[in-house]
Structure formats: C-alpha cells, structure tokens
Amino acid sequence: MEAINQVFALFRLNYHNQYYAAFPDAEQLKQIKKLWLDSLRDYPVEQILRGARHAIEHSEYLPTLNRMHECCQAGLAEFGLPSTRDAYREACNAPSPKAAQRWSHPAVYLAGRDSEWFFLANNTEQKALPVFERHYREYCARVMRGEQLTIPPEQALEHHEAAPLPVEEQLAQLKKLREETGI
C-alpha cells in the first residue's frame, strides 16, 4: 500500500490539475488506490515506483491503470526480460524439445512450461495469452526481486540395452501366438 501511496503522491506533484480533476474526493481516491493495489500486486515495489517514474517521464497525461501496467512492463528490459507479447510469441514459436532451445530469458521458458506447451499450441491467442501473461508476470516479479531463474536440465530417458530373448523363450511365445490366432 505504501508503494501505491508513493505513486499517487508522485502523480499529485507532477499532474497537479489533472490529478485533482480525476480524484475530486477522498473516498473515490481510496477506492481507486485499492483497485490499483489489487491490480499491481504482482509487481515488486521497486518496479511499481520505476513504472510511475517512467509514466511521468514519458507522458504529459495522468496514466490510467492500463498505462501503468505498460509502464511497469517497460522496465523489464533492465532485467533482460522481453515484453510480455514478445515472450509469448517466443514461447509459442519455440520448437521441441523446449528445454534445449536458446531462450531470451529463463522466465519465458518457465512461463511457457507452466502455461503448458500443448495449451499454448492449441488455443487462440485470446485464450492463451492471459494464461501465459499471468505466469510470466509472476516470474518477472521474482526476477525483479533479485531471484536467479534457471531452466531445469532436460531429463533423459533411461537407456537400457535390449537383450534378445533366449531361443527357447522365443519359440514358446511364437507357439502361444499361433495358438491364440489359429495360424
């Protein structure tokens, strides 16, 4: 909540007239702050504040909640993270085996994996993107908090050398097969 209060304090200072026109009374402002808090809760505090500064530096208008999400996402590049849309495209277009691909960031692979590759490949963007975006945001928030993400190594199938059956067992199975099929 403190981050949201700081954001709105920055907006009040930078967009003075627009701010008071948009938020004329304290009760409305309280409801809007709660909405923003609920919507931006997946971002770490630093990213929310960075997003607010980005909004102030790049727009002469008071940002909407949607614009604030865009501003928070704009800071992803500082962490080596692609935009959500670019990450989604990368995940959808990666050939199998997925873990063997060269990913722009481990968060892209992990969000794709958690969204389920089959789901991403077999659903429309309208249905699949929100699922991917939810997972990707969670991983981006972890990265912005300083966590190092890694792609788990591919698990190889166990390799067993095939040994032929002894001749007696082969003949017994052949006899049983002939009896069952009548050949």
Side-chain angles (χ1 to χ4, degrees):
M1 189 60 184
E2 185 57 36
I4 297 299
N5 286 334
Q6 289 179 30
V7 166
F8 277 81
L10 286 170
F11 290 166
R12 187 178 63 242
L13 292 171
N14 286 278
Y15 303 107
H16 185 79
N17 291 340
Q18 292 176 42
Y19 181 89
Y20 286 108
F23 315 119
D25 64 74
E27 188 56 38
Q28 182 186 26
L29 180 59
K30 182 179 173 183
Q31 291 173 349
I32 290 171
K33 284 182 178 182
K34 185 178 181 329
L35 173 68
W36 280 50
L37 178 64
D38 290 343
S39 184
L40 299 172
R41 73 185 180 299
D42 290 337
Y43 295 108
V45 171
E46 308 81 41
Q47 189 62 19
I48 293 171
L49 295 174
R50 189 177 289 122
R53 284 190 294 276
H54 181 82
I56 290 166
E57 292 168 2
H58 294 91
S59 178
E60 58 189 77
Y61 300 106
L62 185 66
T64 62
L65 179 56
N66 182 54
R67 179 71 181 126
M68 185 62 182
H69 275 287
E70 291 172 1
C71 290
C72 288
Q73 290 280 321
L76 295 177
E78 296 174 31
F79 295 92
L81 293 159
S83 71
T84 301
R85 174 135 338 259
D86 289 344
Y88 173 75
R89 284 189 194 123
E90 182 180 350
C92 289
N93 292 328
S96 291
K98 306 292 187 188
Q101 300 310 311
R102 186 175 184 90
W103 295 94
S104 60
H105 195 281
V108 178
Y109 167 83
L110 295 168
R113 180 199 65 190
D114 291 358
S115 300
E116 298 185 13
W117 301 114
F118 184 83
F119 176 81
L120 293 177
N122 292 288
N123 286 283
T124 63
E125 181 175 321
Q126 183 178 7
K127 188 173 180 181
L129 178 58
V131 173
F132 178 84
E133 183 176 19
R134 186 179 75 244
H135 292 292
Y136 187 61
R137 267 197 194 153
E138 290 170 8
Y139 283 110
C140 289
R142 290 169 61 179
V143 168
M144 289 183 265
R145 285 192 294 269
E147 187 175 333
Q148 294 291 324
L149 302 177
T150 57
I151 297 173
E154 283 187 84
Q155 293 182 348
L157 296 174
E158 291 183 29
H159 180 71
H160 297 285
E161 287 294 324
L165 292 173
V167 175
E168 299 82 27
E169 200 171 325
Q170 289 180 29
L171 291 173
Q173 286 188 6
L174 184 58
K175 182 179 176 185
K176 182 179 174 187
L177 182 63
R178 284 185 179 157
E179 289 171 358
E180 290 174 356
T181 59
I183 298 178

